[in-house]
Amino acid sequence: MMASTHTPSALPSDSVAGDVAKLAAAAAASQAAESAEAEAYEKTHVHGVYEAIAPHFSATRYKPWPAVASFLQSRPPGAVGLDVGCGNGKYLGLNPSVYMVGSDRSASLVALAHSRGRQLQEQQAQEAKKRIAQGELDATTGTGGESSGAAIATEVLVADGLSLPFRERAADFVICIAVIHHMSTRTRRQEAIRHLLRCVRTGQAGQPGGQILVYVWALEQGNSRRGWDEGGEQDLLVPWVLKSQQKQPKRLKQRKGQKRTRDQDSSGVAASNNSGEAPPSEATAGATTAATEPDPGHTDPVFKRYYHLYRKGELEEDVLAAGGAVITSGYERDNWWVVAANEPLPSQST
Amino acid sequence: MKLLTLNFLTCAVKTCKSSSDSFPLHPKDAELASDDVEVNPELLVNLLPRLDWKALKTTSAEVFLPSCIYPLGFPQLPDSPPTIEQLQSDDKLLKDLHSLLMETNLMEGKLVCGVCGHEYAVREGIPNFLLPSHLV
């Protein structure tokens, strides 16, 4: 799906911020709901939305979070990793010396991740051939071409975070970025973390266990203009405006276009005043897609995604409730994150 | 999906996980494709201790049954896993492993659980592990 840029001024700016507040509390009902109800709720307000906005969403997800990138880069060579909720697969293949498998609930996003990984693989095979040809020439002078190793980004599958198909205790690490905040009850959020912990190795004598890295949207977003902060409503429906191409935007240079769109929330709520090198913040969007027919005079379809905004300390509480041990945790641009491992108890099983 | 990945997948049904028969999943009606992938010896050597060798033997035997036509032939694996030193010094084994784990893809077919018998569809190289509601 081709995406093009548009002028952000076309987005309604402040009105939607009010809508967000009005939409708050819709999730309160789901708090007491049973698991099946919560699941049905997420089907409508999370899974269905991602299926519908997948190409648009993917076009806005291209830059890794620094803390995630540094976590991945610091994994030892040959480590086996999982990316639960991999979306378009932007973290797969980031570190070429590890092997990663991605899963996502959205088949559309998984398909996008897969073709991205295939392209990368073909590109690498071409480059390797060139290097080998070059290496043959260099061999006579004794400066053979060195292999840098190819990254694996093709391995993706469709799965639910609460029914993962991964061999238990086999992975060295798991990342789960901007996923758990879509679960609509605390029990389910803790259960999701428990599932992540089950995927990683337990520690043995002299060998630390596998680690999980979890990232969630924070309630405390004082530096962003979304208007959410300490003490506010934590369960929200956040709109995603699927922009149609009503006005043909003047063609911006790609780089400039990306920078502009990064500063604009899909809902029209301006994201934090990002400087040029900042990563995209969650729910940042702006690129239009051809997913909907241009239909002047009609409003753009709005999809509402459920979010639970984590307050300070809540993520660590959920890790403990899931039987994990917090290794480090922190805050990065509107998100809370935690690195955790299994509690090193010999009695712990499954 | 690379055969390597099959070594890390099991049934998504909760009650199957406690049984050793849920791993590995069994390919059925498998259509394979071979990719051209750059050899990364370091990655293979480092992955070796993380592989379940017995499951890998099972998978490779099942996937290369005569019904599955495979132009490159059947890479033979030793019964027990090689040591890291053996793998580093054995070019043929390294190439065979690379070909099997990294270059052989399951494109179409099913993955069947040995416990509950549920069949997970694989289409265009992507397996789907979403469960019908009665299995969740």
Side-chain angles (χ1 to χ4, degrees):
Chain A
M1 190 79 58
M2 288 296 293
S4 60
T5 56
H6 70 96
T7 46
S9 59
L11 295 170
S13 195
D14 292 324
S15 60
V16 189
D19 288 351
V20 173
K22 280 177 211 160
L23 291 165
S30 76
Q31 293 254 312
E34 295 194 14
S35 162
E37 269 180 67
E39 214 180 307
Y41 182 83
E42 288 161 23
K43 194 174 177 184
T44 306
H45 291 291
V46 180
H47 310 148
V49 176
Y50 278 105
E51 282 301 294
I53 68 173
H56 185 190
F57 174 83
S58 176
T60 64
R61 294 296 184 282
Y62 46 85
K63 209 163 179 183
W65 287 97
V68 182
S70 80
F71 177 85
L72 291 176
Q73 295 294 7
S74 63
R75 297 305 100 190
V80 173
L82 308 175
D83 184 351
V84 174
C86 67
N88 68 357
K90 69 176 174 179
Y91 293 114
L92 305 176
L94 191 138
N95 178 351
S97 67
V98 305
Y99 155 66
M100 285 183 75
V101 180
S103 74
D104 202 283
R105 185 66 178 65
S106 163
S108 304
L109 283 171
V110 169
L112 286 167
H114 190 246
S115 58
R116 187 177 175 275
R118 300 282 308 172
Q119 275 169 17
L120 181 69
Q121 181 173 287
E122 277 159 33
Q123 200 180 316
Q124 285 170 338
Q126 294 291 322
E127 281 163 14
K129 272 182 192 156
K130 270 186 214 158
R131 244 194 342 265
I132 288 163
Q134 189 63 38
E136 278 164 4
L137 290 175
D138 291 345
T140 52
T141 58
T143 54
E146 277 178 35
S147 167
S148 60
I152 300 174
T154 50
E155 302 311 286
V156 284
L157 53 90
V158 183
D160 191 286
L162 296 177
S163 296
L164 291 171
F166 299 116
R167 165 154 69 98
E168 297 195 343
R169 311 286 182 215
D172 295 285
F173 68 92
V174 177
I175 63 170
C176 184
I177 312 302
V179 174
I180 288 175
H181 55 212
H182 285 312
M183 309 259 179
S184 60
T185 68
R186 191 163 200 191
T187 311
R188 285 166 71 79
R189 291 190 288 274
Q190 292 173 348
E191 190 59 21
I193 295 173
R194 196 170 284 121
H195 277 74
L196 301 178
L197 287 166
R198 225 172 260 163
C199 292
V200 291
R201 287 186 291 101
T202 43
Q204 283 159 9
Q207 199 192 14
Q211 296 184 348
I212 67 169
L213 169 66
V214 182
Y215 241 75
V216 289
W217 224 2
L219 174 64
E220 298 83 355
Q221 301 195 13
N223 292 325
S224 97
R225 280 156 60 192
R226 295 188 192 97
W228 304 327
D229 213 337
E230 201 181 335
E233 173 58 57
Q234 286 184 262
D235 296 289
L236 298 176
L237 285 170
V238 180
W240 181 284
V241 181
L242 194 61
K243 295 297 291 180
S244 61
Q245 294 167 313
Q246 5 175 283
K247 260 194 269 177
Q248 199 55 40
K250 66 177 174 194
R251 236 181 156 65
L252 298 167
K253 278 179 190 157
Q254 196 189 8
R255 188 152 298 180
K256 196 183 169 193
Q258 287 181 345
K259 190 178 173 242
R260 289 298 297 264
T261 59
R262 205 183 298 142
D263 291 345
Q264 196 74 21
D265 191 294
S266 60
S267 62
V269 183
S272 56
N273 190 17
N274 294 347
S275 54
E277 294 310 305
S281 71
E282 179 53 29
T284 298
T288 56
T289 75
T292 48
E293 281 302 310
D295 194 1
H298 284 71
T299 51
D300 296 315
V302 177
F303 296 90
K304 289 161 189 166
R305 287 180 299 168
Y306 168 80
Y307 275 93
H308 174 80
L309 303 180
Y310 270 76
R311 60 173 164 73
K312 186 180 184 187
E314 188 180 354
L315 183 56
E316 290 90 335
E317 287 168 22
D318 281 356
V319 166
L320 293 178
V326 174
I327 295 168
T328 49
S329 60
Y331 179 88
E332 183 177 69
R333 194 178 279 279
D334 305 333
N335 289 275
W336 293 111
W337 59 265
V338 66
V339 174
N342 286 293
E343 195 64 62
L345 297 174
S347 60
Q348 193 184 349
S349 60
T350 56
Chain B
M1 189 191 53
K2 299 179 193 302
L3 290 198
L4 170 62
T5 300
L6 262 184
N7 205 256
F8 293 91
L9 297 183
T10 181
C11 187
V13 177
K14 228 156 274 170
T15 49
C16 292
K17 289 184 191 288
S18 53
S19 164
S20 59
D21 291 337
S22 63
F23 175 78
L25 297 170
H26 307 288
K28 185 181 164 190
D29 307 329
E31 284 175 33
L32 303 180
S34 181
D35 273 344
D36 198 4
V37 178
E38 185 184 357
V39 187
N40 188 341
E42 198 198 2
L43 179 59
L44 275 175
V45 166
N46 286 320
L47 274 175
L48 183 65
R50 280 131 171 135
L51 295 174
D52 185 311
W53 194 261
K54 194 171 156 240
L56 182 62
K57 290 276 294 177
T58 305
T59 300
S60 106
E62 288 177 352
V63 98
F64 295 116
L65 280 175
S67 60
C68 308
I69 290 135
Y70 189 62
L72 299 185
F74 189 129
Q76 289 291 335
L77 294 177
D79 285 335
S80 55
T83 63
I84 286 174
E85 293 73 25
Q86 280 168 341
L87 184 59
Q88 279 170 329
S89 62
D90 188 339
D91 255 9
K92 185 177 180 304
L93 181 59
L94 195 74
K95 280 217 169 92
D96 277 354
L97 258 187
H98 173 75
S99 164
L100 181 72
L101 295 174
M102 301 293 187
E103 297 196 312
T104 309
N105 281 277
L106 179 59
M107 297 307 290
E108 300 286 331
K110 291 165 187 112
L111 294 170
V112 187
C113 173
V115 180
C116 68
H118 189 66
E119 300 185 345
Y120 298 97
V122 181
R123 292 199 189 93
E124 295 178 2
I126 303 173
N128 189 326
F129 285 93
L130 295 184
L131 295 167
S133 53
H134 70 277
L135 287 177
V136 175

